[in-house]
Amino acid sequence: MERQRHQGMAKNTYMRWRLPLVCLLWELAMIILFGVFVRFGAEADAHWEEEKREMNLTSDMENDFYFRYPSFQDVHVMIFVGFGFLMTFLKRYGFGAVGFNFLLAAFGIQWALLMQGWFHSFKNGKILIGVENLINADFCVGSVCIAFGAILGKTSPIQLLVMTLFQVTLFSVNEYILLNLLHVKDAGGSMTIHTFGAYFGLTVTRVLYRPNLEQSKDKQGSVYHSDLFAMIGTLYLWMYWPSFNSAISDHGDAQHRSAINTYCSLAACVLTTMAFSSMLQKKGKLDMVHIQNATLAGGVAVGTSAEMMLTPYGSLIVGSVSGVVSTVGYVYFTPFLESRLHIQDTCGIHNLHAMPGLIGGIVGAITAAAATEDVYGKEGFVKAFDFTGVYQTRTPSIQGGFQAAGIVVSLLMAFAGGAIVGGILKLPIWGDAAAENCFEDGVYWEVPEDEESDA
Amino acid sequence: MERQRHQGMAKNTYMRWRLPLVCLLWELAMIILFGVFVRFGAEADAHWEEEKREMNLTSDMENDFYFRYPSFQDVHVMIFVGFGFLMTFLKRYGFGAVGFNFLLAAFGIQWALLMQGWFHSFKNGKILIGVENLINADFCVGSVCIAFGAILGKTSPIQLLVMTLFQVTLFSVNEYILLNLLHVKDAGGSMTIHTFGAYFGLTVTRVLYRPNLEQSKDKQGSVYHSDLFAMIGTLYLWMYWPSFNSAISDHGDAQHRSAINTYCSLAACVLTTMAFSSMLQKKGKLDMVHIQNATLAGGVAVGTSAEMMLTPYGSLIVGSVSGVVSTVGYVYFTPFLESRLHIQDTCGIHNLHAMPGLIGGIVGAITAAAATEDVYGKEGFVKAFDFTGVYQTRTPSIQGGFQAAGIVVSLLMAFAGGAIVGGILKLPIWGDAAAENCFEDGVYWEVPEDEESDA
Amino acid sequence: MERQRHQGMAKNTYMRWRLPLVCLLWELAMIILFGVFVRFGAEADAHWEEEKREMNLTSDMENDFYFRYPSFQDVHVMIFVGFGFLMTFLKRYGFGAVGFNFLLAAFGIQWALLMQGWFHSFKNGKILIGVENLINADFCVGSVCIAFGAILGKTSPIQLLVMTLFQVTLFSVNEYILLNLLHVKDAGGSMTIHTFGAYFGLTVTRVLYRPNLEQSKDKQGSVYHSDLFAMIGTLYLWMYWPSFNSAISDHGDAQHRSAINTYCSLAACVLTTMAFSSMLQKKGKLDMVHIQNATLAGGVAVGTSAEMMLTPYGSLIVGSVSGVVSTVGYVYFTPFLESRLHIQDTCGIHNLHAMPGLIGGIVGAITAAAATEDVYGKEGFVKAFDFTGVYQTRTPSIQGGFQAAGIVVSLLMAFAGGAIVGGILKLPIWGDAAAENCFEDGVYWEVPEDEESDA
């Protein structure tokens, strides 16, 4: 199976030297760069006792660790178990789903600590890290996990590592443009994580279009137990999404509010997803694909606005709409994208992340534009949008315009970046499998023998 | 399969218009009601900066979010993964177990935010919500998940939504009577959640008695892997139960104590469950049904008393006893209930929630009645039982009496409510399946084809 | 199957009276001992209001509960789901893996609360417990779960309970020697948990050597879905390990730093594990055994030093090295240990815990020896190593020496203890199975009938 011939072209999926080489060289690079650049931030450094006195803090509880660590762990679970298991729905690609997600995320968080560190935590030649950097690294990798969903089953682990390297880089640049240059709010990452990640992944899978993929069509489905494994991923993403959207919001009311808005949006999303899943099917039966995915759209769609005064009622509306859009997407758009636009989107990230991400960006822009001192309070208004320093004169409507600009920038970065990275991944040196061996763990994994006759 | 004939009665399980209609109308109702009533509480509102000053708080850490959010997330996992996966033990009902639990809980938490909000968080015409409301909504839905266990596999999703609507309403009324009128303590919900939820569900399943259920008997068992999926549910319930019982206790020692008592009770419960599981079986082998369920009885049985000075030693006793009672229940009571009382209890909630819930209520009453200023300290005594205002003159023994009254009220509400709601669910319009199609995902779900030959 | 004859020796695996007797008597002993000794510590006692005033605390947030409870819950998940599911990889031993782990851990935490309590929390004749005791009890049991990995599938539940009783006792003595007599730092337990637990387990399995184990060789492998279940265990251990290593560190910077170091080490470990898994295999394919286990070595290997100023860069190095060592161990050492030294190590704990534990101890000793006031700050230096009281004059290099002594003591305790306990477990009264029935749930569990033809 290592050396396959297909359509006159040999596909060499032999990983023995290439994968170790990439892994080891890159880890070595990480060690060197961390050695040169990365140090503990003040709150994680043993000098904290002195620091605490200088900052006039009376309690260790004021260490940012205690404000953010529980949310960090929830986000961590979402990245590794959430995304990992969500993709185990394929009957014979469970090892690849969980294992490659593990690999790319473990590499990605290291590279993200550096990239985001240079942009946001760089001081006197050193990157100073704390728990918020860990969360942001996980967030950044989240966008890679999303893109992975589009190309799931069709790429080699080396391609995934290469994509991670570039996508993390581009993510960090895009994030810097949005947060620092445009001064946009996006705590839950509707734009930076979901819109960027999804359209990046969709562009990559378009460039990697495989005309003969129907040869492995029998492996693109699920079996009974693989659908249950996928539900583990779904539920952990769904349950911990309030932590995701609130993890890096301001201490106090903003974190509190983010969690409530996200909770409400997700609850509403489940009902409209179930409704449309049944309605769009002649037999009226529910489809696990929708339940596994579209129920999460409500979390994506309030990613930008959750920390704003969206209100529980606004959250229900956004969640309801995004559930409908996402489910309709699975039924109508995904087949259309594949047949007409040659976009093969294995997990349907267009429905779960791309469209809801756009909704999230737009809702964020509107919510920001509609902000008033009356609703936020004088201090809360300034704090919520960080209208200080050079941004002191920004009005809500101008902020709304910048938020909208953030969507456009994210889209452009995704298309351009995805096209370039897709082109790189198309090079015939990365060891991807032939079309008839896609969605098949046996290509890159030792698979237990009795599996053939079993699952 | 959609239109089945059985015993001369057609069972129409076609959901295409009914389910979407119910889901969408109800979600619309939620949006309208939330729009009219629900707003952020002070700690989640952008006016928090001003609020903080007024309340003389020096740190954002004093925001209730940080006292309760980690426990909230644990409770959230218990409701969606815990209950959801606990019920996946059936060989062909995994989608229904996880999926319907997801649906009813997502609807239930919205309706619970309103119902509980009107009773407990209503101020100037608005329901003001914060993290504690989210926890309470999850708690309320927990009682529905429990009742779902009794009717698992025998009801349509619409029946479940109808039951949720009514049960959440009755739960909130019962909770109001107990907590506000009787001034009863029940932080972990032995009475309000477990006793009420379980006897409600048992009454419903009694009313819905199906004489021909043995026709689907072959599907009422488990397969090897479905038992492992169920263990995921069991363990998450078991591990996070200390969070459940402490989530809404008073800040400080009460939360701390609740977690310790629950931890001890659950640990003891595992040993007595294993002992009796082996002992009550001729071959002396362990039965997964007991391990999956009876090991959790220790959490139920300290639900009321965990925040009191039950002591670790008292917790071990309560946990030990409840493990025995629950396991004995699975072996002897469940068959008895089915054959003699026509109560078909799919998951054995009588053993896991009803009896341990009663134990919990009684232990709570005794612990309260035995309270002394010596044990609690002068201030701690008043704080633990909230003996302030009109309750200033209550003595421990009177409190014990009211606690006992709380059990009786919960039982009466459960029987009466269950009878009425069971009657409503018996109407032939909700699309339940015929007896031979119970415990079968294929009725309401698209099931992967190769499942037939596989799992 | 209960009464088997093998090689002329009858193996009686009938548990009906023996297992209940042990469970019930021991639980009774726990109740009595808890009744005599265990009480709530000040922060969990209802006298906390008075206590708070005495300690000059202004906020309930200062209760240790809020500093440690989220980490406690993560550790709890690691012990019960992490270790439990990690061991479900065997095709027909999933019930035993999860169920026996549940049993021994539930007993072990009770006994550990007592043993560790007598050594560390004993005051005026009472053991005063709080959340830190719960964490430490879980830690102690972690070392038993590790040892369980070596003998997985080859022992009866009674043997496991007997081993737990003795191992918890020895663990507590060893921990007391290290932490109190040698004044060694080991917050994440590289020495006390991993080195001790693993070498203890390896010694036990050596004593219990079964020459005919190849008779059950066909059951020692995995099937496709059992490998996915095991990945649930792996990922929860991996994700929550930062909580494990930081759970009992000093408040503030130490907890913060521990989490960051562990996060970095684990991320690096994944890359080197993947690299060597592919490289050491002729076909270049990845092996799930390595991904499930060796990726975790990075957490073990920074167990001692994570709370020190190891730096993110140092963590990457330690993690990288331990991933390599562990993977190489699985490929070369495990077969060698079995064939030459007659050490049958079912889960390969030598590679996941023993060697990385030693690395962890050594790295800890070096990091301590290299500490300077410059790096830690004057106050931080004293605080980090607790150089107060009689230890005021200790220098870093002396501390390094004591750390190294801690490794040696742990090893000696493990070998001696393991030999004795192994001898006890060899007595023919505990109901272990014959060689051909090892790795088979059917011996001690009711297994669903259709399993035969299925999984």
Side-chain angles (χ1 to χ4, degrees):
Chain A
M1 201 175 287
E2 281 78 37
R3 295 165 180 276
Q4 304 133 338
R5 286 201 166 262
H6 172 62
Q7 301 184 299
M9 189 182 81
K11 287 272 189 182
N12 181 350
T13 62
Y14 191 61
M15 289 284 116
R16 190 170 182 192
W17 304 115
R18 283 182 284 181
L19 181 62
L21 199 73
V22 171
C23 286
L24 295 177
L25 277 183
W26 290 15
E27 190 54 49
L28 188 66
M30 290 301 112
I31 291 173
I32 294 168
L33 289 169
F34 268 59
V36 175
F37 289 109
V38 182
R39 296 295 180 271
F40 293 120
E43 299 182 294
D45 193 284
H47 289 83
W48 163 249
E49 287 299 319
E50 282 101 351
E51 191 74 23
K52 219 164 53 173
R53 239 192 335 269
E54 272 176 42
M55 294 167 73
N56 263 323
L57 302 178
T58 55
S59 164
D60 279 319
M61 249 305 154
E62 297 294 319
N63 194 305
D64 200 33
F65 183 76
Y66 301 103
F67 287 92
R68 307 215 182 272
Y69 188 73
S71 312
F72 158 66
Q73 277 293 7
D74 295 349
V75 171
H76 217 38
V77 171
M78 292 173 75
I79 299 299
F80 290 88
V81 161
F83 282 111
F85 273 88
L86 183 62
M87 297 189 275
T88 58
F89 72 99
L90 290 172
K91 69 181 81 167
R92 294 177 67 77
Y93 206 71
F95 294 4
V98 166
F100 292 154
N101 186 68
F102 196 15
L103 172 63
L104 72 84
F107 166 65
I109 53 179
Q110 298 178 60
W111 180 228
L113 279 177
L114 287 164
M115 279 303 303
Q116 296 180 313
W118 283 316
F119 279 123
H120 302 289
S121 312
F122 202 60
K123 217 173 150 182
N124 300 326
K126 298 293 173 199
I127 296 167
L128 302 179
I129 66 173
V131 65
E132 196 171 337
N133 299 70
L134 307 190
I135 297 171
N136 276 315
D138 271 30
F139 275 5
C140 174
V141 161
S143 87
V144 186
C145 299
I146 291 166
F148 178 34
I151 55 177
L152 183 73
K154 299 173 293 189
T155 43
S156 77
I158 300 179
Q159 281 178 307
L160 295 173
L161 285 169
V162 171
M163 184 179 85
T164 305
L165 179 73
F166 286 108
Q167 193 180 346
V168 167
T169 310
L170 290 165
F171 175 98
S172 305
V173 172
N174 185 53
E175 186 188 43
Y176 178 75
I177 297 174
L178 265 67
L179 303 191
N180 296 53
L181 304 187
L182 302 179
H183 195 68
V184 148
K185 303 295 282 183
D186 193 23
S190 291
M191 295 178 278
T192 53
I193 301 169
H194 299 287
T195 302
F196 170 77
Y199 284 104
F200 181 94
L202 291 166
T203 312
V204 168
T205 199
R206 175 64 192 83
V207 175
L208 298 180
Y209 176 64
R210 286 168 177 273
N212 301 298
L213 204 54
E214 76 284 354
Q215 291 178 350
S216 50
K217 210 186 170 184
D218 57 310
K219 292 174 213 146
Q220 278 197 64
S222 61
V223 290
Y224 195 66
H225 281 157
S226 73
D227 268 328
L228 280 177
F229 278 115
M231 278 306 289
I232 297 175
T234 299
L235 287 175
Y236 275 98
L237 288 168
W238 192 90
M239 297 179 302
Y240 286 164
W241 216 296
S243 296
F244 193 93
N245 284 347
S246 67
I248 58 163
S249 289
D250 284 339
H251 296 168
D253 59 302
Q255 279 197 292
H256 203 150
R257 191 162 57 240
S258 288
I260 296 173
N261 280 329
T262 310
Y263 177 95
C264 290
S265 176
L266 285 164
C269 187
V270 174
L271 267 85
T272 56
T273 296
M274 294 269 185
F276 274 75
S277 181
S278 170
M279 200 161 66
L280 298 179
Q281 234 250 355
K282 264 194 196 157
K283 295 190 207 154
K285 295 188 184 182
L286 297 163
D287 190 328
M288 276 306 253
V289 173
H290 308 154
I291 313 309
Q292 283 159 5
N293 293 282
T295 51
L296 301 168
V300 176
V302 296
T304 303
S305 56
E307 62 172 5
M308 303 178 189
M309 289 292 284
L310 178 61
T311 74
Y313 140 79
S315 304
L316 291 190
I317 295 175
V318 176
S320 298
V321 171
S322 59
V324 173
V325 169
S326 188
T327 309
V328 170
Y330 275 97
V331 178
Y332 298 113
F333 295 176
T334 299
F336 173 85
L337 288 180
E338 175 148 6
S339 60
R340 298 298 171 90
L341 303 183
H342 288 181
I343 295 172
Q344 294 158 326
D345 179 6
T346 312
C347 294
I349 64 165
H350 183 256
N351 316 303
L352 171 47
H353 297 283
M355 291 190 296
L358 287 178
I359 294 174
I362 294 165
V363 170
I366 295 170
T367 314
T372 63
E373 284 199 5
D374 191 44
V375 170
Y376 286 78
K378 209 165 177 127
E379 284 173 79
F381 180 73
V382 172
K383 196 181 158 198
F385 297 97
D386 216 359
F387 285 159
T388 54
V390 291
Y391 303 105
Q392 222 164 348
T393 56
R394 253 204 204 174
T395 62
S397 53
I398 295 179
Q399 179 68 22
F402 275 98
Q403 295 280 143
I407 306 173
V408 177
V409 171
S410 298
L411 282 172
L412 294 177
M413 287 290 291
F415 292 135
I420 295 166
V421 174
I424 295 169
L425 297 184
K426 227 181 150 81
L427 296 175
I429 56 176
W430 309 119
D432 59 312
E436 74 266 31
N437 292 315
C438 282
F439 314 111
E440 169 62 57
D441 271 332
V443 180
Y444 303 112
W445 295 86
E446 288 288 316
V447 176
E449 272 175 34
D450 50 320
E451 201 260 316
E452 301 299 311
S453 61
D454 177 58
Chain B
M1 202 174 290
E2 281 78 35
R3 294 167 181 274
Q4 303 132 343
R5 284 199 168 264
H6 172 60
Q7 300 184 297
M9 191 181 83
K11 286 273 189 183
N12 180 350
T13 63
Y14 190 61
M15 289 284 115
R16 192 171 180 191
W17 304 115
R18 284 182 284 181
L19 182 61
L21 199 73
V22 171
C23 286
L24 295 178
L25 277 183
W26 290 14
E27 190 53 50
L28 187 66
M30 291 300 112
I31 291 173
I32 294 168
L33 290 168
F34 269 58
V36 176
F37 290 110
V38 181
R39 297 293 179 272
F40 293 121
E43 299 181 295
D45 193 283
H47 290 82
W48 164 248
E49 287 299 318
E50 282 102 351
E51 192 74 23
K52 219 164 55 175
R53 239 192 335 269
E54 272 175 43
M55 294 166 72
N56 262 322
L57 301 177
T58 55
S59 163
D60 280 319
M61 249 306 155
E62 297 293 319
N63 194 305
D64 199 34
F65 183 76
Y66 302 103
F67 287 92
R68 307 218 182 270
Y69 189 71
S71 312
F72 157 66
Q73 276 294 6
D74 295 349
V75 171
H76 217 39
V77 171
M78 292 173 74
I79 299 298
F80 290 88
V81 161
F83 282 111
F85 273 89
L86 183 61
M87 297 190 275
T88 57
F89 72 99
L90 290 173
K91 68 181 81 166
R92 294 176 67 77
Y93 206 70
F95 294 4
V98 166
F100 292 154
N101 185 70
F102 196 15
L103 172 63
L104 71 84
F107 165 64
I109 53 179
Q110 298 177 59
W111 180 228
L113 279 176
L114 287 165
M115 279 303 302
Q116 296 180 313
W118 283 317
F119 279 123
H120 302 288
S121 311
F122 202 59
K123 218 174 150 181
N124 300 327
K126 299 292 174 201
I127 296 167
L128 302 178
I129 66 172
V131 65
E132 197 170 338
N133 298 69
L134 307 189
I135 298 171
N136 277 315
D138 272 30
F139 275 5
C140 175
V141 161
S143 87
V144 185
C145 299
I146 291 166
F148 178 34
I151 55 176
L152 183 73
K154 299 174 292 190
T155 41
S156 77
I158 299 179
Q159 282 178 307
L160 295 173
L161 284 170
V162 172
M163 184 178 84
T164 304
L165 179 73
F166 286 107
Q167 195 180 348
V168 166
T169 310
L170 291 165
F171 176 98
S172 303
V173 173
N174 185 53
E175 187 188 44
Y176 178 75
I177 297 173
L178 264 67
L179 303 191
N180 295 53
L181 305 187
L182 302 178
H183 195 68
V184 148
K185 303 295 282 183
D186 194 24
S190 291
M191 293 178 279
T192 53
I193 302 169
H194 299 287
T195 302
F196 170 76
Y199 284 104
F200 181 94
L202 292 167
T203 311
V204 169
T205 199
R206 175 64 192 82
V207 175
L208 298 180
Y209 176 64
R210 286 169 176 271
N212 301 299
L213 204 56
E214 76 284 355
Q215 291 179 349
S216 52
K217 210 185 169 183
D218 56 309
K219 292 172 211 146
Q220 278 198 62
S222 61
V223 291
Y224 196 66
H225 281 158
S226 73
D227 268 328
L228 280 176
F229 277 115
M231 278 306 289
I232 296 174
T234 299
L235 287 174
Y236 274 98
L237 287 168
W238 193 90
M239 296 179 304
Y240 286 164
W241 216 296
S243 296
F244 193 92
N245 284 347
S246 67
I248 58 163
S249 288
D250 284 339
H251 296 168
D253 58 302
Q255 280 198 290
H256 203 149
R257 191 163 57 241
S258 287
I260 296 173
N261 280 330
T262 310
Y263 177 94
C264 289
S265 177
L266 285 164
C269 187
V270 175
L271 267 86
T272 56
T273 296
M274 294 268 185
F276 274 74
S277 179
S278 171
M279 200 162 66
L280 298 179
Q281 233 253 353
K282 264 193 195 160
K283 296 191 206 155
K285 295 187 183 182
L286 296 163
D287 190 328
M288 276 307 252
V289 172
H290 309 153
I291 313 310
Q292 285 158 4
N293 293 281
T295 52
L296 301 167
V300 177
V302 296
T304 304
S305 56
E307 63 173 5
M308 304 178 189
M309 289 293 282
L310 179 61
T311 75
Y313 141 76
S315 304
L316 292 190
I317 295 174
V318 176
S320 299
V321 170
S322 59
V324 173
V325 169
S326 188
T327 310
V328 169
Y330 276 97
V331 178
Y332 298 114
F333 295 175
T334 299
F336 173 85
L337 288 180
E338 174 149 8
S339 61
R340 299 298 172 91
L341 303 183
H342 289 181
I343 297 172
Q344 293 158 326
D345 179 6
T346 311
C347 293
I349 63 166
H350 184 254
N351 315 303
L352 172 46
H353 297 281
M355 292 189 296
L358 287 178
I359 294 175
I362 295 166
V363 170
I366 294 170
T367 313
T372 64
E373 285 199 4
D374 192 45
V375 170
Y376 286 78
K378 210 167 176 125
E379 284 171 80
F381 180 73
V382 172
K383 195 180 158 199
F385 296 97
D386 215 0
F387 286 159
T388 54
V390 293
Y391 303 105
Q392 221 164 349
T393 55
R394 251 203 205 175
T395 62
S397 52
I398 294 179
Q399 178 69 23
F402 276 99
Q403 296 280 145
I407 307 173
V408 177
V409 171
S410 299
L411 282 172
L412 293 178
M413 289 288 291
F415 292 134
I420 295 165
V421 174
I424 295 169
L425 297 184
K426 227 182 152 78
L427 297 175
I429 56 174
W430 310 119
D432 59 311
E436 73 265 32
N437 293 315
C438 284
F439 315 112
E440 169 62 56
D441 272 331
V443 180
Y444 303 112
W445 296 86
E446 288 289 314
V447 175
E449 271 176 35
D450 49 320
E451 202 259 316
E452 300 300 311
S453 61
D454 176 59
Chain C
M1 202 175 287
E2 280 77 36
R3 294 167 179 274
Q4 304 132 341
R5 285 200 168 264
H6 173 62
Q7 301 184 299
M9 191 181 82
K11 286 273 191 183
N12 180 350
T13 61
Y14 190 61
M15 288 284 116
R16 190 170 182 192
W17 304 115
R18 284 182 284 182
L19 181 61
L21 199 73
V22 171
C23 286
L24 295 177
L25 277 182
W26 290 15
E27 190 53 50
L28 188 66
M30 290 301 113
I31 291 173
I32 294 167
L33 289 169
F34 269 59
V36 176
F37 290 110
V38 181
R39 297 293 179 272
F40 294 120
E43 299 182 294
D45 194 283
H47 288 82
W48 163 248
E49 287 300 317
E50 281 101 351
E51 191 73 23
K52 219 164 54 173
R53 239 188 340 265
E54 271 175 43
M55 294 166 75
N56 262 323
L57 302 177
T58 54
S59 163
D60 280 319
M61 250 304 155
E62 297 294 318
N63 193 306
D64 200 33
F65 183 76
Y66 302 102
F67 288 92
R68 307 217 182 270
Y69 188 72
S71 312
F72 157 67
Q73 276 294 6
D74 295 349
V75 171
H76 217 39
V77 171
M78 293 173 74
I79 299 299
F80 290 88
V81 160
F83 281 111
F85 273 88
L86 183 62
M87 297 189 277
T88 57
F89 73 99
L90 290 172
K91 68 181 81 166
R92 294 176 67 77
Y93 207 70
F95 294 4
V98 166
F100 292 155
N101 186 69
F102 196 16
L103 173 63
L104 72 83
F107 166 64
I109 53 179
Q110 297 177 60
W111 180 228
L113 279 177
L114 287 164
M115 280 303 303
Q116 295 180 314
W118 283 316
F119 278 124
H120 302 287
S121 312
F122 202 61
K123 218 174 150 182
N124 300 327
K126 299 293 173 200
I127 296 167
L128 302 178
I129 65 173
V131 64
E132 195 170 339
N133 298 68
L134 306 189
I135 298 171
N136 276 315
D138 271 30
F139 276 5
C140 174
V141 161
S143 87
V144 185
C145 299
I146 291 166
F148 178 33
I151 56 177
L152 183 74
K154 300 173 293 189
T155 42
S156 77
I158 299 178
Q159 281 178 308
L160 295 174
L161 284 170
V162 172
M163 184 179 85
T164 304
L165 179 74
F166 286 108
Q167 194 180 346
V168 166
T169 311
L170 290 165
F171 175 98
S172 304
V173 172
N174 184 52
E175 186 188 44
Y176 178 76
I177 297 174
L178 265 67
L179 303 191
N180 295 53
L181 304 186
L182 301 178
H183 196 68
V184 148
K185 302 297 279 184
D186 193 24
S190 291
M191 295 178 279
T192 53
I193 302 169
H194 298 286
T195 302
F196 170 77
Y199 284 104
F200 181 94
L202 291 166
T203 312
V204 168
T205 199
R206 174 65 192 81
V207 176
L208 298 180
Y209 176 63
R210 285 168 177 271
N212 301 300
L213 204 56
E214 76 285 353
Q215 291 179 349
S216 51
K217 209 184 170 183
D218 56 311
K219 292 173 213 147
Q220 278 198 64
S222 60
V223 289
Y224 196 66
H225 281 157
S226 73
D227 268 329
L228 280 176
F229 277 115
M231 277 307 288
I232 297 174
T234 299
L235 287 174
Y236 274 98
L237 288 167
W238 193 90
M239 297 180 303
Y240 285 164
W241 216 295
S243 296
F244 193 92
N245 285 347
S246 68
I248 58 163
S249 288
D250 285 338
H251 295 168
D253 59 301
Q255 279 197 291
H256 203 149
R257 191 161 58 239
S258 287
I260 296 173
N261 279 329
T262 310
Y263 177 95
C264 289
S265 177
L266 285 164
C269 188
V270 175
L271 267 86
T272 56
T273 296
M274 294 269 185
F276 274 75
S277 180
S278 169
M279 200 161 68
L280 298 179
Q281 233 254 353
K282 263 193 194 157
K283 295 189 207 155
K285 295 187 183 181
L286 295 163
D287 190 328
M288 275 307 251
V289 173
H290 309 153
I291 312 309
Q292 283 159 5
N293 293 281
T295 51
L296 300 168
V300 177
V302 296
T304 304
S305 56
E307 62 173 5
M308 303 178 189
M309 289 291 283
L310 179 61
T311 75
Y313 140 79
S315 304
L316 292 189
I317 295 175
V318 176
S320 299
V321 171
S322 59
V324 174
V325 169
S326 188
T327 310
V328 169
Y330 275 97
V331 178
Y332 298 114
F333 295 175
T334 299
F336 173 85
L337 289 180
E338 174 149 8
S339 62
R340 298 300 171 90
L341 303 183
H342 287 182
I343 295 171
Q344 293 158 326
D345 179 7
T346 311
C347 294
I349 63 165
H350 184 255
N351 315 304
L352 171 46
H353 298 283
M355 292 190 297
L358 287 177
I359 294 175
I362 295 165
V363 170
I366 295 170
T367 312
T372 65
E373 285 199 3
D374 192 43
V375 170
Y376 286 78
K378 209 164 178 131
E379 285 172 79
F381 180 73
V382 172
K383 195 181 158 199
F385 296 98
D386 214 1
F387 285 160
T388 54
V390 292
Y391 302 105
Q392 220 165 349
T393 55
R394 252 203 205 175
T395 63
S397 52
I398 294 178
Q399 179 68 23
F402 276 99
Q403 296 280 142
I407 307 172
V408 178
V409 171
S410 299
L411 282 172
L412 293 177
M413 287 289 290
F415 292 134
I420 296 166
V421 174
I424 294 169
L425 297 183
K426 227 182 151 80
L427 297 175
I429 56 174
W430 310 119
D432 59 310
E436 73 266 31
N437 293 315
C438 283
F439 314 112
E440 170 61 57
D441 271 331
V443 180
Y444 302 112
W445 296 86
E446 288 288 316
V447 175
E449 271 176 35
D450 49 321
E451 201 260 316
E452 300 299 310
S453 60
D454 177 60

